[in-house]
Amino acid sequence: MYFPTFASPLLAASRCLALTGLLAGAAACGKDEKPKAIVASEVENPVKESELTTVTITADAEKRLGIKTVAIKTDNVQATREVGGEIQAVPGQAVTILAPVQGTLRGGASITAGQRVREGQTLYSLVPLPAERDLLTLSQGTAQARTQLQVTQARLSRAEALLADRAGSVRARDDARADVALAQQNLADARARQAAANGSAGVGQALPIKAPLSGVVQRVTVTDGSLVTANTVLVELAALNKVWVRVPLFVGDLRRLGKDQAVTVRPLDGGTPRQGKPVEAPLLGATAGTGTADVFYEIDNADEAFRPGERVAVDVNLTSAASGTGTSASTPALTIPAAALLYDATGGQWVYVRTKPLQYTRQRVEVQRAVGDQIVISRGVKAGAEVVTDGAAELFGTEFGGAH
């Protein structure tokens, strides 16, 4: 006998649900799988920089390279300031030559900037143009120039007397001398104009323009054959056997300047440094915007290595006392000999440290400044470590294949 079953539709539905679940699970598994990222480059077995900087050599190689080491120590380093300075001509030793009258210049074709001239040398000949015959005005001008010369000579006498009594300054005396020289030149010009107007110089007769001091031509503003008017600037001269250095120093360091403390002046092109002596009673000028004040130092310049307007580096030593008369200020710092410092092609600074016998590790350091033949290190090494001095360059070549 046949009995109909009602389970067949239910069984079919459960099978459909199971199949649907399997399909959904397969789809879900497919979503979890992400495509592998594609990179432009890949470095296999990367090595740290510290593992590339160790050089191990034999005892014979160490002897052949002449390697010597010193221990890094902490020293008290002189407190200094490295500032910029500007070379200037000494006041009273720079002269601007003017045309005394209107006329035409002759014989100045050989005057060029940078040329040395001696006192009394004729630089130009000025052929005056016909002057107006106003003798009264010219006579008054000569008298005024003569009076001005007398006044400046009296001022110079007072300045020299005050300096002898230690109540004046060298700068005041030099300025007075410059005023006397200028007044003498003005008087000579006035007399020349008066003589030309009187006809004693002769129409067309040349007036010599001479150098009032021995020095170097700084600037030339005219050429041979130029037509100039009275008081036209012709040439600027400067005596350069001694020059001044103007140093804008932070006002907070002014009281830390040692009395009669010299400074080291270094050319920016790496030339030989020189000592600068402080100028007696300098005139200090302050710049509110930068918080600096100007101090002046004098350096010997017999070889004329420095020229006015040149920029230089100046090392100023500071004292510990607020009055500026105490002992030199110093701070503890790590120092190494200059021979131990190496530079790579990109300007990186390195030293070789002996970590084990016959084993040397190159370490990067940061240099703060140089003090004599010692280098002040701000970071990169520790006190007590042994750095290579003699043979450091040979180790550098050995590491990078430049030596064998």
Side-chain angles (χ1 to χ4, degrees):
M1 186 176 178
Y2 174 75
F3 296 94
T5 176
F6 297 96
S8 297
L10 295 175
L11 180 60
S14 62
R15 288 178 179 175
C16 290
L17 290 175
L19 180 60
T20 303
L22 291 175
L23 293 175
C29 292
K31 290 181 180 180
D32 291 338
E33 295 181 358
K34 296 181 180 179
K36 187 176 181 181
I38 300 176
V39 295
S41 62
E42 184 176 356
V43 179
E44 297 182 358
N45 303 320
V47 181
K48 296 180 179 180
E49 179 183 342
S50 59
E51 298 178 4
L52 292 174
T53 57
T54 299
V55 178
T56 301
I57 60 177
T58 63
D60 292 339
E62 185 179 55
K63 183 178 180 180
R64 185 175 66 255
L65 295 177
I67 294 178
K68 295 182 180 179
T69 62
V70 296
I72 300 176
K73 56 183 180 179
T74 302
D75 290 333
N76 289 326
V77 180
Q78 168 69 49
T80 62
R81 291 286 186 273
E82 181 181 352
V83 295
E86 180 183 0
I87 301 295
Q88 296 183 347
V90 178
Q93 299 298 316
V95 176
T96 300
I97 301 178
L98 307 178
V101 294
Q102 182 178 356
T104 305
L105 291 176
R106 293 286 184 265
S110 61
I111 304 300
T112 58
Q115 178 182 348
R116 289 189 57 87
V117 297
R118 63 183 183 277
E119 183 178 358
Q121 176 181 343
T122 299
L123 305 179
Y124 295 98
S125 293
L126 179 63
V127 179
L129 295 178
E132 298 180 0
R133 300 283 180 165
D134 192 350
L135 299 179
L136 179 60
T137 302
L138 293 175
S139 178
Q140 290 176 348
T142 302
Q144 182 179 2
R146 186 184 300 109
T147 302
Q148 184 65 28
L149 176 59
Q150 294 172 353
V151 172
T152 55
Q153 288 175 338
R155 187 181 300 119
L156 174 59
S157 298
R158 288 195 299 272
E160 290 176 343
L162 289 174
L163 183 60
D165 295 337
R166 298 180 179 274
S169 66
V170 175
R171 183 184 181 117
R173 183 199 62 188
D174 291 342
D175 290 344
R177 287 179 176 176
D179 293 340
V180 170
L182 182 59
Q184 290 174 341
Q185 184 65 39
N186 290 338
L187 179 58
D189 295 343
R191 287 173 175 172
R193 287 192 295 268
Q194 188 173 11
N198 287 328
S200 59
V203 177
Q205 182 176 348
L207 299 176
I209 307 297
K210 299 183 178 182
L213 53 80
S214 297
V216 176
V217 177
Q218 295 296 300
R219 189 165 68 102
V220 179
T221 62
V222 294
T223 60
D224 188 24
S226 299
L227 178 63
V228 297
T229 59
N231 298 324
T232 298
V233 176
L234 305 180
V235 179
E236 292 182 0
L237 301 179
L240 301 182
N241 57 327
K242 291 183 180 295
V243 292
W244 281 11
V245 184
R246 182 180 66 86
V247 181
L249 194 63
F250 176 59
V251 292
D253 292 331
L254 289 179
R255 291 183 177 85
R256 300 183 62 189
L257 285 178
K259 185 178 181 181
D260 299 329
Q261 177 67 54
V263 298
T264 301
V265 181
R266 295 182 286 107
L268 298 182
D269 60 357
T272 304
R274 300 188 183 183
Q275 293 297 311
K277 299 179 181 179
V279 177
E280 183 178 355
L283 178 62
L284 297 179
T287 305
T290 59
T292 61
D294 293 339
V295 292
F296 295 86
Y297 298 88
E298 185 178 87
I299 59 176
D300 292 328
N301 191 41
D303 58 352
E304 299 176 2
F306 296 96
R307 295 297 180 92
E310 179 181 353
R311 299 288 182 174
V312 293
V314 182
D315 296 325
V316 181
N317 293 335
L318 303 178
T319 62
S320 57
S323 62
T325 58
T327 58
S328 298
S330 59
T331 56
L334 293 178
T335 61
I336 63 172
L341 186 64
L342 298 171
Y343 293 88
D344 60 21
T346 61
Q349 300 161 331
W350 304 84
V351 295
Y352 279 98
V353 178
R354 181 160 64 182
T355 53
K356 295 179 181 179
L358 303 179
Q359 189 176 86
Y360 300 91
T361 300
R362 180 165 50 90
Q363 295 185 5
R364 188 185 298 272
V365 294
E366 184 175 323
V367 175
Q368 184 179 16
R369 57 192 173 95
V371 180
D373 59 351
Q374 297 292 310
I375 302 296
V376 179
I377 301 297
S378 57
R379 62 179 178 178
V381 290
K382 297 181 179 180
E386 294 186 10
V387 294
V388 178
T389 54
D390 297 352
E394 286 76 7
L395 283 176
F396 198 74
T398 301
E399 178 180 353
F400 292 97
H404 301 282

